[in-house]
Amino acid sequence: MVRFYKADNKKLFFKQNIFDLLAIIPFDSIFYFFRAFRVLRVIKLLRLIRIVGFTGKIQKSIKRFFGTNGFIYLVITTVILILIAAEIYSVAENAGYMNSLWWAIATTTTVGYGDISPHTGIGRAVAVVLMILGIGLIGSVTSTVTAFFVDDKTDKDNDALKKELQDIKLELKEIREELKKGK
């Protein structure tokens, strides 16, 4: 430390004597530094546990969402129809399956980039089916989201009403018992 203090050019001294400077650092300090990393690992583990708990809650919500209005069946049917339509388009238009799949998805989502378009009658018929399917899918998604949130609010309201009804029943039972004692 004295040599470092007396050096005229401290940067040059530091560069030339790096090993000497490292040698004077107490080992305990280094070990405390690594312990800090262990604490950080524990904190990260706690975050992971919190995420796992959050995942369980989201999983229930997702199951309930897909169960609303039978939405899961619509999604499965839509995926199957998109895959079949892509295959039909691929054969009818003599195109690769991946390009056909891209076209089917773009058509179903009503984006219709126009980079790929059907030229045959069969291809155009498949396009019409996919367009109608896409419009129906978007409408169903909208109604399912609405029903999901309305049902959630209704469930909370129903729980509050059930609790209130139980309280009224309990109070009515107590009043009847008091009336019986009074006779």
Side-chain angles (χ1 to χ4, degrees):
M1 294 298 278
V2 173
R3 288 177 41 216
F4 180 75
Y5 177 74
K6 287 186 174 184
D8 294 328
N9 189 345
K10 306 236 188 272
K11 286 184 183 180
L12 182 63
F13 179 85
F14 186 81
K15 287 180 183 179
Q16 291 176 349
N17 298 296
I18 187 75
F19 292 109
D20 292 340
L21 293 171
L22 288 175
I24 61 171
I25 297 174
F27 283 107
D28 292 341
S29 303
I30 293 172
F31 291 127
Y32 284 126
F33 181 72
F34 288 117
R35 283 185 193 161
F37 283 121
R38 287 184 190 164
V39 170
L40 289 176
R41 286 183 196 162
V42 171
I43 291 171
K44 286 180 184 179
L45 181 63
L46 292 175
R47 285 183 185 168
L48 180 65
I49 291 170
R50 201 169 84 197
I51 289 171
V52 169
F54 181 69
T55 304
K57 289 179 183 178
I58 277 189
Q59 188 176 13
K60 288 178 185 177
S61 295
I62 289 173
K63 280 184 180 179
R64 204 181 89 210
F65 177 76
F66 278 104
T68 303
N69 298 338
F71 186 65
I72 186 70
Y73 301 114
L74 178 67
V75 170
I76 291 169
T77 304
T78 301
V79 169
I80 291 170
L81 286 175
I82 287 172
L83 294 174
I84 291 171
E87 182 62 32
I88 292 171
Y89 182 87
S90 176
V91 171
E93 299 289 327
N94 197 21
Y97 185 74
M98 292 309 287
N99 285 335
S100 299
L101 186 61
W102 167 253
W103 170 82
I105 292 170
T107 303
T108 304
T109 57
T110 68
V111 172
Y113 288 117
D115 56 345
I116 304 173
S117 60
H119 302 290
T120 64
I122 295 172
R124 289 179 179 162
V126 169
V128 168
V129 169
L130 286 178
M131 288 177 208
I132 292 170
L133 177 72
I135 293 168
L137 178 67
I138 290 171
S140 295
V141 167
T142 304
S143 66
T144 301
V145 168
T146 303
F148 176 76
F149 287 113
V150 167
D151 287 347
D152 185 40
K153 186 176 180 183
T154 304
D155 288 345
K156 289 178 183 175
D157 291 343
N158 286 343
D159 290 343
L161 286 173
K162 284 179 184 176
K163 183 176 180 348
E164 190 174 339
L165 184 60
Q166 287 174 349
D167 291 344
I168 291 171
K169 284 182 178 180
L170 184 62
E171 189 177 335
L172 181 61
K173 185 179 178 182
E174 290 173 359
I175 291 172
R176 284 182 181 163
E177 288 176 2
E178 285 182 25
L179 284 175
K180 285 182 183 179
K181 287 180 185 177
K183 288 184 180 180

